[in-house]
PDB file of all heavy atoms in Angstrom:
ATOM      1  N   GLY A1253     100.953 116.413  99.000  1.00 88.00           N
ATOM      2  CA  GLY A1253     100.700 116.312  97.638  1.00 88.00           C
ATOM      3  C   GLY A1253     100.808 114.952  97.086  1.00 88.00           C
ATOM      4  O   GLY A1253     100.653 114.594  95.932  1.00 88.00           O
ATOM      5  N   LEU A1254     100.976 113.923  98.026  1.00 88.00           N
ATOM      6  CA  LEU A1254     101.135 112.545  97.559  1.00 88.00           C
ATOM      7  C   LEU A1254      99.666 111.874  97.621  1.00 88.00           C
ATOM      8  O   LEU A1254      98.773 112.277  98.233  1.00 88.00           O
ATOM      9  CB  LEU A1254     101.935 111.774  98.605  1.00 88.00           C
ATOM     10  CG  LEU A1254     103.482 112.264  98.718  1.00 88.00           C
ATOM     11  CD1 LEU A1254     104.109 111.422  99.920  1.00 88.00           C
ATOM     12  CD2 LEU A1254     104.169 111.883  97.420  1.00 88.00           C
ATOM     13  N   THR A1255      99.632 110.847  96.768  1.00 91.00           N
ATOM     14  CA  THR A1255      98.458 110.046  96.834  1.00 91.00           C
ATOM     15  C   THR A1255      98.559 108.883  97.809  1.00 91.00           C
ATOM     16  O   THR A1255      99.745 108.626  98.427  1.00 91.00           O
ATOM     17  CB  THR A1255      98.136 109.314  95.428  1.00 91.00           C
ATOM     18  OG1 THR A1255      99.273 108.435  95.125  1.00 91.00           O
ATOM     19  CG2 THR A1255      98.132 110.454  94.332  1.00 91.00           C
ATOM     20  N   GLN A1256      97.540 108.241  98.152  1.00 90.00           N
ATOM     21  CA  GLN A1256      97.680 107.166  99.066  1.00 90.00           C
ATOM     22  C   GLN A1256      98.567 106.017  98.586  1.00 90.00           C
ATOM     23  O   GLN A1256      99.350 105.397  99.388  1.00 90.00           O
ATOM     24  CB  GLN A1256      96.229 106.494  99.419  1.00 90.00           C
ATOM     25  CG  GLN A1256      95.361 107.511 100.242  1.00 90.00           C
ATOM     26  CD  GLN A1256      94.066 106.776 100.617  1.00 90.00           C
ATOM     27  OE1 GLN A1256      93.961 105.611 100.754  1.00 90.00           O
ATOM     28  NE2 GLN A1256      93.015 107.561 100.947  1.00 90.00           N
ATOM     29  N   LYS A1257      98.544 105.790  97.251  1.00 91.00           N
ATOM     30  CA  LYS A1257      99.333 104.768  96.722  1.00 91.00           C
ATOM     31  C   LYS A1257     100.819 105.184  96.799  1.00 91.00           C
ATOM     32  O   LYS A1257     101.662 104.338  97.161  1.00 91.00           O
ATOM     33  CB  LYS A1257      99.000 104.605  95.214  1.00 91.00           C
ATOM     34  CG  LYS A1257      99.796 103.590  94.509  1.00 91.00           C
ATOM     35  CD  LYS A1257      99.383 103.478  92.954  1.00 91.00           C
ATOM     36  CE  LYS A1257     100.229 102.402  92.302  1.00 91.00           C
ATOM     37  NZ  LYS A1257      99.816 102.297  90.868  1.00 91.00           N
ATOM     38  N   GLU A1258     101.145 106.413  96.535  1.00 90.00           N
ATOM     39  CA  GLU A1258     102.452 106.900  96.640  1.00 90.00           C
ATOM     40  C   GLU A1258     103.022 106.776  98.008  1.00 90.00           C
ATOM     41  O   GLU A1258     104.157 106.442  98.260  1.00 90.00           O
ATOM     42  CB  GLU A1258     102.602 108.309  96.047  1.00 90.00           C
ATOM     43  CG  GLU A1258     102.312 108.394  94.512  1.00 90.00           C
ATOM     44  CD  GLU A1258     102.271 109.868  94.037  1.00 90.00           C
ATOM     45  OE1 GLU A1258     101.848 110.698  94.927  1.00 90.00           O
ATOM     46  OE2 GLU A1258     102.545 110.089  92.868  1.00 90.00           O
ATOM     47  N   LEU A1259     102.180 107.207  99.012  1.00 90.00           N
ATOM     48  CA  LEU A1259     102.625 107.095 100.409  1.00 90.00           C
ATOM     49  C   LEU A1259     102.892 105.598 100.732  1.00 90.00           C
ATOM     50  O   LEU A1259     103.858 105.350 101.515  1.00 90.00           O
ATOM     51  CB  LEU A1259     101.436 107.661 101.263  1.00 90.00           C
ATOM     52  CG  LEU A1259     101.701 107.528 102.825  1.00 90.00           C
ATOM     53  CD1 LEU A1259     103.005 108.110 103.242  1.00 90.00           C
ATOM     54  CD2 LEU A1259     100.502 108.077 103.578  1.00 90.00           C
ATOM     55  N   ALA A1260     102.003 104.771 100.353  1.00 89.00           N
ATOM     56  CA  ALA A1260     102.234 103.311 100.649  1.00 89.00           C
ATOM     57  C   ALA A1260     103.538 102.834 100.045  1.00 89.00           C
ATOM     58  O   ALA A1260     104.222 102.104 100.717  1.00 89.00           O
ATOM     59  CB  ALA A1260     101.071 102.523 100.074  1.00 89.00           C
ATOM     60  N   GLU A1261     103.823 103.160  98.848  1.00 90.00           N
ATOM     61  CA  GLU A1261     105.065 102.657  98.210  1.00 90.00           C
ATOM     62  C   GLU A1261     106.318 103.263  98.988  1.00 90.00           C
ATOM     63  O   GLU A1261     107.229 102.485  99.135  1.00 90.00           O
ATOM     64  CB  GLU A1261     105.128 103.083  96.718  1.00 90.00           C
ATOM     65  CG  GLU A1261     104.063 102.358  95.849  1.00 90.00           C
ATOM     66  CD  GLU A1261     104.112 102.840  94.502  1.00 90.00           C
ATOM     67  OE1 GLU A1261     104.738 103.924  94.166  1.00 90.00           O
ATOM     68  OE2 GLU A1261     103.481 102.178  93.591  1.00 90.00           O
ATOM     69  N   ARG A1262     106.192 104.544  99.294  1.00 88.00           N
ATOM     70  CA  ARG A1262     107.459 105.097  99.882  1.00 88.00           C
ATOM     71  C   ARG A1262     107.679 104.704 101.317  1.00 88.00           C
ATOM     72  O   ARG A1262     108.835 104.678 101.813  1.00 88.00           O
ATOM     73  CB  ARG A1262     107.308 106.663  99.835  1.00 88.00           C
ATOM     74  CG  ARG A1262     107.294 107.238  98.417  1.00 88.00           C
ATOM     75  CD  ARG A1262     107.373 108.735  98.387  1.00 88.00           C
ATOM     76  NE  ARG A1262     107.225 109.256  97.027  1.00 88.00           N
ATOM     77  CZ  ARG A1262     107.427 110.490  96.675  1.00 88.00           C
ATOM     78  NH1 ARG A1262     107.720 111.400  97.615  1.00 88.00           N
ATOM     79  NH2 ARG A1262     107.281 110.903  95.495  1.00 88.00           N
ATOM     80  N   ALA A1263     106.618 104.383 102.045  1.00 87.00           N
ATOM     81  CA  ALA A1263     106.660 103.934 103.391  1.00 87.00           C
ATOM     82  C   ALA A1263     106.820 102.365 103.447  1.00 87.00           C
ATOM     83  O   ALA A1263     106.845 101.853 104.514  1.00 87.00           O
ATOM     84  CB  ALA A1263     105.489 104.359 104.160  1.00 87.00           C
ATOM     85  N   ASN A1264     106.764 101.717 102.349  1.00 88.00           N
ATOM     86  CA  ASN A1264     106.932 100.225 102.296  1.00 88.00           C
ATOM     87  C   ASN A1264     105.726  99.578 103.112  1.00 88.00           C
ATOM     88  O   ASN A1264     105.956  98.767 103.999  1.00 88.00           O
ATOM     89  CB  ASN A1264     108.200  99.799 102.811  1.00 88.00           C
ATOM     90  CG  ASN A1264     108.488  98.344 102.570  1.00 88.00           C
ATOM     91  OD1 ASN A1264     107.890  97.715 101.690  1.00 88.00           O
ATOM     92  ND2 ASN A1264     109.398  97.701 103.297  1.00 88.00           N
ATOM     93  N   ILE A1265     104.507 100.008 102.794  1.00 88.00           N
ATOM     94  CA  ILE A1265     103.343  99.496 103.493  1.00 88.00           C
ATOM     95  C   ILE A1265     102.232  99.221 102.467  1.00 88.00           C
ATOM     96  O   ILE A1265     102.337  99.959 101.434  1.00 88.00           O
ATOM     97  CB  ILE A1265     102.883 100.506 104.645  1.00 88.00           C
ATOM     98  CG1 ILE A1265     101.757  99.960 105.434  1.00 88.00           C
ATOM     99  CG2 ILE A1265     102.549 101.881 104.004  1.00 88.00           C
ATOM    100  CD1 ILE A1265     101.352 100.905 106.611  1.00 88.00           C
ATOM    101  N   SER A1266     101.296  98.446 102.714  1.00 89.00           N
ATOM    102  CA  SER A1266     100.289  98.162 101.854  1.00 89.00           C
ATOM    103  C   SER A1266      99.330  99.327 101.697  1.00 89.00           C
ATOM    104  O   SER A1266      99.089 100.072 102.731  1.00 89.00           O
ATOM    105  CB  SER A1266      99.482  96.913 102.150  1.00 89.00           C
ATOM    106  OG  SER A1266      98.692  97.130 103.319  1.00 89.00           O
ATOM    107  N   GLN A1267      98.822  99.557 100.449  1.00 89.00           N
ATOM    108  CA  GLN A1267      97.801 100.673 100.249  1.00 89.00           C
ATOM    109  C   GLN A1267      96.542 100.437 101.096  1.00 89.00           C
ATOM    110  O   GLN A1267      95.905 101.404 101.520  1.00 89.00           O
ATOM    111  CB  GLN A1267      97.495 100.795  98.842  1.00 89.00           C
ATOM    112  CG  GLN A1267      96.713 102.039  98.413  1.00 89.00           C
ATOM    113  CD  GLN A1267      96.541 102.179  96.944  1.00 89.00           C
ATOM    114  OE1 GLN A1267      97.104 101.524  96.183  1.00 89.00           O
ATOM    115  NE2 GLN A1267      95.601 103.100  96.541  1.00 89.00           N
ATOM    116  N   VAL A1268      96.183  99.172 101.307  1.00 90.00           N
ATOM    117  CA  VAL A1268      95.046  98.840 102.107  1.00 90.00           C
ATOM    118  C   VAL A1268      95.239  99.421 103.572  1.00 90.00           C
ATOM    119  O   VAL A1268      94.313 100.026 104.137  1.00 90.00           O
ATOM    120  CB  VAL A1268      94.804  97.370 102.142  1.00 90.00           C
ATOM    121  CG1 VAL A1268      93.702  96.966 103.125  1.00 90.00           C
ATOM    122  CG2 VAL A1268      94.458  96.830 100.767  1.00 90.00           C
ATOM    123  N   MET A1269      96.452  99.197 104.105  1.00 89.00           N
ATOM    124  CA  MET A1269      96.674  99.667 105.516  1.00 89.00           C
ATOM    125  C   MET A1269      96.637 101.211 105.513  1.00 89.00           C
ATOM    126  O   MET A1269      96.080 101.763 106.547  1.00 89.00           O
ATOM    127  CB  MET A1269      98.026  99.185 105.933  1.00 89.00           C
ATOM    128  CG  MET A1269      98.459  99.619 107.374  1.00 89.00           C
ATOM    129  SD  MET A1269      97.067  99.394 108.624  1.00 89.00           S
ATOM    130  CE  MET A1269      97.169  97.513 108.810  1.00 89.00           C
ATOM    131  N   VAL A1270      97.270 101.833 104.484  1.00 89.00           N
ATOM    132  CA  VAL A1270      97.168 103.360 104.401  1.00 89.00           C
ATOM    133  C   VAL A1270      95.794 103.864 104.479  1.00 89.00           C
ATOM    134  O   VAL A1270      95.389 104.742 105.250  1.00 89.00           O
ATOM    135  CB  VAL A1270      97.896 103.823 103.220  1.00 89.00           C
ATOM    136  CG1 VAL A1270      97.654 105.303 103.013  1.00 89.00           C
ATOM    137  CG2 VAL A1270      99.401 103.596 103.325  1.00 89.00           C
ATOM    138  N   HIS A1271      94.865 103.148 103.677  1.00 91.00           N
ATOM    139  CA  HIS A1271      93.494 103.540 103.549  1.00 91.00           C
ATOM    140  C   HIS A1271      92.727 103.353 104.930  1.00 91.00           C
ATOM    141  O   HIS A1271      92.023 104.177 105.298  1.00 91.00           O
ATOM    142  CB  HIS A1271      92.754 102.764 102.535  1.00 91.00           C
ATOM    143  CG  HIS A1271      91.282 102.925 102.482  1.00 91.00           C
ATOM    144  ND1 HIS A1271      90.750 104.217 101.981  1.00 91.00           N
ATOM    145  CD2 HIS A1271      90.237 102.242 102.919  1.00 91.00           C
ATOM    146  CE1 HIS A1271      89.461 104.099 102.090  1.00 91.00           C
ATOM    147  NE2 HIS A1271      89.091 102.900 102.637  1.00 91.00           N
ATOM    148  N   LYS A1272      93.148 102.278 105.655  1.00 90.00           N
ATOM    149  CA  LYS A1272      92.532 102.007 106.882  1.00 90.00           C
ATOM    150  C   LYS A1272      92.891 103.029 107.884  1.00 90.00           C
ATOM    151  O   LYS A1272      92.062 103.464 108.750  1.00 90.00           O
ATOM    152  CB  LYS A1272      92.963 100.615 107.394  1.00 90.00           C
ATOM    153  CG  LYS A1272      92.184  99.457 106.628  1.00 90.00           C
ATOM    154  CD  LYS A1272      92.614  98.039 107.316  1.00 90.00           C
ATOM    155  CE  LYS A1272      91.990  96.928 106.593  1.00 90.00           C
ATOM    156  NZ  LYS A1272      92.386  95.579 107.093  1.00 90.00           N
ATOM    157  N   LEU A1273      94.210 103.418 107.901  1.00 90.00           N
ATOM    158  CA  LEU A1273      94.629 104.486 108.920  1.00 90.00           C
ATOM    159  C   LEU A1273      93.982 105.804 108.552  1.00 90.00           C
ATOM    160  O   LEU A1273      93.612 106.509 109.497  1.00 90.00           O
ATOM    161  CB  LEU A1273      96.138 104.535 108.824  1.00 90.00           C
ATOM    162  CG  LEU A1273      96.967 103.377 109.353  1.00 90.00           C
ATOM    163  CD1 LEU A1273      98.458 103.491 108.940  1.00 90.00           C
ATOM    164  CD2 LEU A1273      96.838 103.336 110.863  1.00 90.00           C
ATOM    165  N   ILE A1274      93.908 106.189 107.369  1.00 90.00           N
ATOM    166  CA  ILE A1274      93.385 107.448 106.982  1.00 90.00           C
ATOM    167  C   ILE A1274      91.890 107.550 107.146  1.00 90.00           C
ATOM    168  O   ILE A1274      91.318 108.562 107.520  1.00 90.00           O
ATOM    169  CB  ILE A1274      93.726 107.823 105.478  1.00 90.00           C
ATOM    170  CG1 ILE A1274      95.234 108.075 105.357  1.00 90.00           C
ATOM    171  CG2 ILE A1274      92.961 109.032 105.011  1.00 90.00           C
ATOM    172  CD1 ILE A1274      95.703 108.328 103.989  1.00 90.00           C
ATOM    173  N   SER A1275      91.212 106.423 107.060  1.00 90.00           N
ATOM    174  CA  SER A1275      89.794 106.362 107.210  1.00 90.00           C
ATOM    175  C   SER A1275      89.360 106.197 108.693  1.00 90.00           C
ATOM    176  O   SER A1275      88.227 106.238 109.007  1.00 90.00           O
ATOM    177  CB  SER A1275      89.167 105.257 106.345  1.00 90.00           C
ATOM    178  OG  SER A1275      89.589 103.935 106.812  1.00 90.00           O
ATOM    179  N   GLY A1276      90.303 105.902 109.435  1.00 88.00           N
ATOM    180  CA  GLY A1276      90.083 105.663 110.920  1.00 88.00           C
ATOM    181  C   GLY A1276      89.659 104.229 111.287  1.00 88.00           C
ATOM    182  O   GLY A1276      89.432 103.939 112.453  1.00 88.00           O
ATOM    183  N   LYS A1277      89.742 103.320 110.289  1.00 88.00           N
ATOM    184  CA  LYS A1277      89.454 101.904 110.636  1.00 88.00           C
ATOM    185  C   LYS A1277      90.547 101.200 111.388  1.00 88.00           C
ATOM    186  O   LYS A1277      90.266 100.270 112.063  1.00 88.00           O
ATOM    187  CB  LYS A1277      89.120 101.267 109.204  1.00 88.00           C
ATOM    188  CG  LYS A1277      87.838 101.721 108.533  1.00 88.00           C
ATOM    189  CD  LYS A1277      87.698 100.961 107.215  1.00 88.00           C
ATOM    190  CE  LYS A1277      86.350 101.402 106.496  1.00 88.00           C
ATOM    191  NZ  LYS A1277      86.142 100.754 105.266  1.00 88.00           N
ATOM    192  N   ALA A1278      91.760 101.732 111.198  1.00 84.00           N
ATOM    193  CA  ALA A1278      92.917 101.188 111.955  1.00 84.00           C
ATOM    194  C   ALA A1278      93.461 102.327 112.776  1.00 84.00           C
ATOM    195  O   ALA A1278      93.521 103.460 112.318  1.00 84.00           O
ATOM    196  CB  ALA A1278      93.927 100.700 111.044  1.00 84.00           C
ATOM    197  N   LYS A1279      93.683 102.025 114.075  1.00 82.00           N
ATOM    198  CA  LYS A1279      94.113 103.035 115.022  1.00 82.00           C
ATOM    199  C   LYS A1279      95.595 103.104 115.251  1.00 82.00           C
ATOM    200  O   LYS A1279      96.165 104.023 115.923  1.00 82.00           O
ATOM    201  CB  LYS A1279      93.441 102.836 116.381  1.00 82.00           C
ATOM    202  CG  LYS A1279      91.886 102.801 116.258  1.00 82.00           C
ATOM    203  CD  LYS A1279      91.276 104.103 115.804  1.00 82.00           C
ATOM    204  CE  LYS A1279      89.766 104.078 115.750  1.00 82.00           C
ATOM    205  NZ  LYS A1279      89.193 105.317 115.202  1.00 82.00           N
ATOM    206  N   GLU A1280      96.302 102.103 114.783  1.00 80.00           N
ATOM    207  CA  GLU A1280      97.806 102.087 115.005  1.00 80.00           C
ATOM    208  C   GLU A1280      98.447 101.163 113.896  1.00 80.00           C
ATOM    209  O   GLU A1280      97.731 100.377 113.280  1.00 80.00           O
ATOM    210  CB  GLU A1280      98.126 101.511 116.347  1.00 80.00           C
ATOM    211  CG  GLU A1280      97.593 100.138 116.647  1.00 80.00           C
ATOM    212  CD  GLU A1280      97.908  99.578 117.979  1.00 80.00           C
ATOM    213  OE1 GLU A1280      98.158 100.408 118.822  1.00 80.00           O
ATOM    214  OE2 GLU A1280      97.825  98.411 118.179  1.00 80.00           O
ATOM    215  N   SER A1281      99.723 101.325 113.747  1.00 79.00           N
ATOM    216  CA  SER A1281     100.515 100.395 112.805  1.00 79.00           C
ATOM    217  C   SER A1281     101.986 100.493 113.189  1.00 79.00           C
ATOM    218  O   SER A1281     102.487 101.502 113.649  1.00 79.00           O
ATOM    219  CB  SER A1281     100.301 100.936 111.430  1.00 79.00           C
ATOM    220  OG  SER A1281     101.207 100.335 110.449  1.00 79.00           O
ATOM    221  N   SER A1282     102.658  99.384 112.991  1.00 77.00           N
ATOM    222  CA  SER A1282     104.094  99.362 113.305  1.00 77.00           C
ATOM    223  C   SER A1282     104.855 100.168 112.250  1.00 77.00           C
ATOM    224  O   SER A1282     106.094 100.514 112.437  1.00 77.00           O
ATOM    225  CB  SER A1282     104.605  97.883 113.206  1.00 77.00           C
ATOM    226  OG  SER A1282     104.379  97.269 111.927  1.00 77.00           O
ATOM    227  N   LYS A1283     104.199 100.558 111.166  1.00 82.00           N
ATOM    228  CA  LYS A1283     104.843 101.360 110.139  1.00 82.00           C
ATOM    229  C   LYS A1283     104.601 102.826 110.204  1.00 82.00           C
ATOM    230  O   LYS A1283     104.979 103.658 109.321  1.00 82.00           O
ATOM    231  CB  LYS A1283     104.351 100.916 108.718  1.00 82.00           C
ATOM    232  CG  LYS A1283     104.589  99.452 108.381  1.00 82.00           C
ATOM    233  CD  LYS A1283     106.024  99.350 108.064  1.00 82.00           C
ATOM    234  CE  LYS A1283     106.279  97.864 107.475  1.00 82.00           C
ATOM    235  NZ  LYS A1283     107.750  97.681 107.145  1.00 82.00           N
ATOM    236  N   LEU A1284     104.098 103.213 111.354  1.00 86.00           N
ATOM    237  CA  LEU A1284     103.795 104.659 111.599  1.00 86.00           C
ATOM    238  C   LEU A1284     104.987 105.579 111.515  1.00 86.00           C
ATOM    239  O   LEU A1284     104.906 106.692 110.979  1.00 86.00           O
ATOM    240  CB  LEU A1284     103.067 104.823 112.954  1.00 86.00           C
ATOM    241  CG  LEU A1284     102.127 106.011 113.080  1.00 86.00           C
ATOM    242  CD1 LEU A1284     101.081 106.082 112.011  1.00 86.00           C
ATOM    243  CD2 LEU A1284     101.495 106.127 114.442  1.00 86.00           C
ATOM    244  N   VAL A1285     106.129 105.097 112.043  1.00 87.00           N
ATOM    245  CA  VAL A1285     107.297 105.828 111.967  1.00 87.00           C
ATOM    246  C   VAL A1285     107.727 106.096 110.443  1.00 87.00           C
ATOM    247  O   VAL A1285     108.095 107.187 110.109  1.00 87.00           O
ATOM    248  CB  VAL A1285     108.505 105.297 112.734  1.00 87.00           C
ATOM    249  CG1 VAL A1285     109.824 105.948 112.462  1.00 87.00           C
ATOM    250  CG2 VAL A1285     108.190 105.280 114.153  1.00 87.00           C
ATOM    251  N   ALA A1286     107.670 105.011 109.691  1.00 87.00           N
ATOM    252  CA  ALA A1286     108.047 105.147 108.308  1.00 87.00           C
ATOM    253  C   ALA A1286     107.081 106.068 107.537  1.00 87.00           C
ATOM    254  O   ALA A1286     107.533 106.894 106.710  1.00 87.00           O
ATOM    255  CB  ALA A1286     107.944 103.686 107.564  1.00 87.00           C
ATOM    256  N   ILE A1287     105.807 106.000 107.852  1.00 90.00           N
ATOM    257  CA  ILE A1287     104.831 106.922 107.246  1.00 90.00           C
ATOM    258  C   ILE A1287     105.112 108.383 107.616  1.00 90.00           C
ATOM    259  O   ILE A1287     105.073 109.239 106.779  1.00 90.00           O
ATOM    260  CB  ILE A1287     103.363 106.552 107.741  1.00 90.00           C
ATOM    261  CG1 ILE A1287     102.981 105.163 107.200  1.00 90.00           C
ATOM    262  CG2 ILE A1287     102.391 107.601 107.341  1.00 90.00           C
ATOM    263  CD1 ILE A1287     101.626 104.659 107.745  1.00 90.00           C
ATOM    264  N   ALA A1288     105.448 108.556 108.933  1.00 88.00           N
ATOM    265  CA  ALA A1288     105.750 109.880 109.337  1.00 88.00           C
ATOM    266  C   ALA A1288     107.004 110.442 108.590  1.00 88.00           C
ATOM    267  O   ALA A1288     107.080 111.663 108.286  1.00 88.00           O
ATOM    268  CB  ALA A1288     105.954 109.912 110.903  1.00 88.00           C
ATOM    269  N   ASN A1289     107.992 109.577 108.419  1.00 87.00           N
ATOM    270  CA  ASN A1289     109.251 110.009 107.758  1.00 87.00           C
ATOM    271  C   ASN A1289     108.879 110.558 106.340  1.00 87.00           C
ATOM    272  O   ASN A1289     109.464 111.622 105.838  1.00 87.00           O
ATOM    273  CB  ASN A1289     110.257 108.995 107.681  1.00 87.00           C
ATOM    274  CG  ASN A1289     110.866 108.684 109.048  1.00 87.00           C
ATOM    275  OD1 ASN A1289     110.838 109.495 109.940  1.00 87.00           O
ATOM    276  ND2 ASN A1289     111.432 107.499 109.178  1.00 87.00           N
ATOM    277  N   VAL A1290     108.048 109.805 105.624  1.00 88.00           N
ATOM    278  CA  VAL A1290     107.613 110.186 104.259  1.00 88.00           C
ATOM    279  C   VAL A1290     106.922 111.477 104.254  1.00 88.00           C
ATOM    280  O   VAL A1290     107.108 112.294 103.311  1.00 88.00           O
ATOM    281  CB  VAL A1290     106.788 109.044 103.647  1.00 88.00           C
ATOM    282  CG1 VAL A1290     106.205 109.463 102.300  1.00 88.00           C
ATOM    283  CG2 VAL A1290     107.574 107.766 103.484  1.00 88.00           C
ATOM    284  N   LEU A1291     106.095 111.703 105.224  1.00 89.00           N
ATOM    285  CA  LEU A1291     105.229 112.910 105.368  1.00 89.00           C
ATOM    286  C   LEU A1291     106.038 114.125 105.970  1.00 89.00           C
ATOM    287  O   LEU A1291     105.464 115.203 106.089  1.00 89.00           O
ATOM    288  CB  LEU A1291     104.006 112.683 106.051  1.00 89.00           C
ATOM    289  CG  LEU A1291     103.067 111.600 105.411  1.00 89.00           C
ATOM    290  CD1 LEU A1291     101.814 111.360 106.340  1.00 89.00           C
ATOM    291  CD2 LEU A1291     102.555 112.143 104.016  1.00 89.00           C
ATOM    292  N   GLY A1292     107.271 113.857 106.369  1.00 85.00           N
ATOM    293  CA  GLY A1292     108.036 114.999 106.917  1.00 85.00           C
ATOM    294  C   GLY A1292     107.631 115.384 108.339  1.00 85.00           C
ATOM    295  O   GLY A1292     107.699 116.502 108.674  1.00 85.00           O
ATOM    296  N   THR A1293     107.169 114.369 109.098  1.00 86.00           N
ATOM    297  CA  THR A1293     106.727 114.698 110.388  1.00 86.00           C
ATOM    298  C   THR A1293     107.161 113.554 111.386  1.00 86.00           C
ATOM    299  O   THR A1293     108.102 112.873 110.960  1.00 86.00           O
ATOM    300  CB  THR A1293     105.204 114.878 110.511  1.00 86.00           C
ATOM    301  OG1 THR A1293     104.791 115.267 111.818  1.00 86.00           O
ATOM    302  CG2 THR A1293     104.476 113.588 110.006  1.00 86.00           C
TER     303      THR A1293
END
């Protein structure tokens, strides 16, 4: 139920990088663990 902006803020990552990962333009990130924690996975 989060927006891309909210995910970016909670994971301490730029919204641009979140968009790249979700759109498939980026295939990896050092912040993936932080993103997973926010999403409960």
Side-chain angles (χ1 to χ4, degrees):
L1254 298 173
T1255 65
Q1256 291 188 22
K1257 181 180 179 181
E1258 290 171 334
L1259 174 60
E1261 291 178 349
R1262 297 188 185 188
N1264 192 20
I1265 186 174
S1266 70
Q1267 189 175 350
V1268 173
M1269 178 53 70
V1270 169
H1271 175 73
K1272 287 182 178 179
L1273 289 168
I1274 291 177
S1275 64
K1277 294 179 180 179
K1279 305 297 182 182
E1280 59 182 17
S1281 170
S1282 61
K1283 296 288 188 178
L1284 203 55
V1285 172
I1287 293 173
N1289 289 338
V1290 173
L1291 296 176
T1293 184

